[in-house]
Amino acid sequence: MASGGPYFDDVRSKPEIIDLSTDDVVEAGNHVKDSSEHSAKPNAAVSSSVHELLECPVCLNAMFPPIHQCSNGHTLCSGCKPRVHNRCPTCRHELGNIRCLALEKVAASLELPCKYQSFGCIGIYPYYNKLKHESQCIFRPYNCPYAGSECTATGDIPFLVTHLKDDHKVDMHNGCSFNHRYVKSNPHEVENATWMLTVFSCFGQYFCLHFEAFQLGMAPVYIAFLRFMGDDVEAKNYSYSLEVGANGRKMLWQGVPRSIRDSHRKVRDSFDGLIIQRSMALFFSGGDKKELKLRVTGRIWKEQ
């Protein structure tokens, strides 16, 4: 719609999140339709011109109430209004407090497909419900679960499994039980030990095993936990156990794998896993207590 330039580049570099819970939102109902039964209706295909009308000229995102306009009729989303210092970005006239009620009503009449349609979502949603649905859509892509870098790859589970194997060279294992030995001989590596990821395939699903050193308050500890490559609802169908020990002692953890919807850092910082104090881990390692030689065993099972 509006042409770009330094002014637009400046304000676009500061994205704004719009809270859709405000009372200003026009009620459109929660009706969701299957796209196959909706395809025969004449308004199923919304013209690109209507999409352009609902596009904010500054942030280029879809506009939601209150939609503002200047005296010349140029529109602007509520999030961008304070960022342009109450000046219309198109004609530079003062914006004031004029609402574009006509455009808000046009938006309320629209029903659009989910943006994750290509991932399998077939729902058709009222314009004002679409963003809320998309934030929770079970077909939305997953973030890469690799913890060793800020990887920006997203996709469905088959894509991420291939991505982990080919791009991150992650160890892949078949089976629901495992026996891993984590070894670090360098004292610095003992303090900062990180084994990025191991992926297990069982029950037709994929699970990620994480193990790393971190600080629990002032205490140096290690943590091991499992994440499920899928949604939280599916993750609750499974349980797992982790065990570590030596010299006649052992520690045991049993829990439910967390979905990879929860980031690695979120799971770690919630302490939802087997936590081993470094002194205990070195005791389990034997020897002079300077090398880390830790054996972690575990299994995954499906709840009935």
Side-chain angles (χ1 to χ4, degrees):
M1 294 179 59
S3 60
Y7 177 78
F8 288 96
D9 292 339
D10 178 62
V11 292
R12 288 174 188 168
S13 66
K14 303 174 183 176
E16 186 82 13
I17 297 175
I18 309 255
D19 184 359
L20 299 183
S21 62
T22 174
D23 294 336
D24 289 320
V25 175
V26 176
E27 289 295 327
N30 295 317
H31 189 50
V32 178
K33 302 178 182 178
D34 186 289
S35 59
S36 61
E37 70 179 50
H38 193 75
S39 59
K41 293 192 176 183
N43 65 342
V46 180
S47 67
S48 60
S49 59
V50 175
H51 281 292
E52 290 176 0
L53 284 174
L54 291 167
E55 183 182 88
C56 174
V58 176
C59 65
L60 304 182
N61 293 324
M63 294 187 289
F64 294 88
I67 298 175
H68 296 278
Q69 69 174 22
C70 72
S71 57
N72 289 326
H74 302 124
T75 54
L76 183 74
C77 78
S78 59
C80 289
K81 183 185 176 186
R83 295 158 58 195
V84 298
H85 308 294
N86 205 38
R87 290 283 176 181
C88 174
T90 303
C91 67
R92 306 301 296 156
H93 282 197
E94 186 175 347
L95 284 170
N97 292 304
I98 307 172
R99 286 271 293 274
C100 187
L101 299 178
L103 191 55
E104 291 178 9
K105 290 181 179 179
V106 168
S109 69
L110 300 179
E111 293 178 325
L112 305 173
C114 172
K115 73 176 180 180
Y116 301 123
Q117 190 177 51
S118 62
F119 287 92
C121 184
I122 60 174
I124 301 293
Y125 298 89
Y127 183 84
Y128 293 139
N129 293 78
K130 184 172 177 284
L131 276 187
K132 181 178 180 180
H133 159 76
E134 289 172 349
S135 69
Q136 304 169 350
C137 179
I138 62 172
F139 293 98
R140 69 192 189 278
Y142 297 89
N143 295 323
C144 174
Y146 189 73
S149 65
E150 297 299 324
C151 181
T152 58
T154 62
D156 58 16
I157 299 304
F159 168 82
L160 288 180
V161 170
T162 302
H163 166 71
L164 289 170
K165 181 180 178 181
D166 295 344
D167 297 330
H168 294 300
K169 311 302 179 185
V170 165
D171 290 334
M172 300 282 179
H173 298 272
N174 291 318
C176 299
S177 60
F178 47 90
N179 186 337
H180 279 292
R181 193 170 186 228
Y182 298 104
V183 178
K184 292 290 183 183
S185 56
N186 184 302
H188 177 73
E189 291 182 341
V190 169
E191 294 178 5
N192 301 281
T194 300
W195 289 268
M196 304 306 180
L197 196 63
T198 304
V199 175
F200 299 92
S201 173
C202 64
F203 301 110
Q205 306 288 351
Y206 292 93
F207 300 83
C208 302
L209 176 64
H210 297 264
F211 183 92
E212 69 173 271
F214 80 112
Q215 290 290 125
L216 181 56
M218 297 297 293
V221 299
Y222 300 102
I223 185 170
F225 57 86
L226 202 70
R227 286 201 291 166
F228 174 74
M229 294 188 71
D231 276 319
D232 185 60
V233 173
E234 293 179 89
K236 292 177 181 177
N237 294 325
Y238 302 90
S239 295
Y240 74 101
S241 64
L242 297 173
E243 183 178 312
V244 61
N247 302 321
R249 283 100 170 158
K250 68 179 180 180
M251 298 176 65
L252 178 68
W253 165 267
Q254 181 172 317
V256 175
R258 295 278 286 272
S259 166
I260 60 171
R261 295 286 189 204
D262 290 334
S263 69
H264 152 267
R265 184 181 298 274
K266 180 178 180 180
V267 179
R268 184 198 68 187
D269 292 349
S270 66
F271 318 129
D272 192 3
L274 174 63
I275 297 178
I276 314 158
Q277 291 186 350
R278 186 189 299 167
S279 58
M280 182 63 72
L282 293 174
F283 173 77
F284 287 151
S285 301
D288 57 6
K289 296 186 178 181
K290 292 183 180 180
E291 290 186 333
L292 183 68
K293 298 178 180 178
L294 204 59
R295 186 177 298 278
V296 177
T297 62
R299 69 183 184 95
I300 306 165
W301 65 93
K302 190 172 185 177
E303 297 291 349
Q304 299 299 323

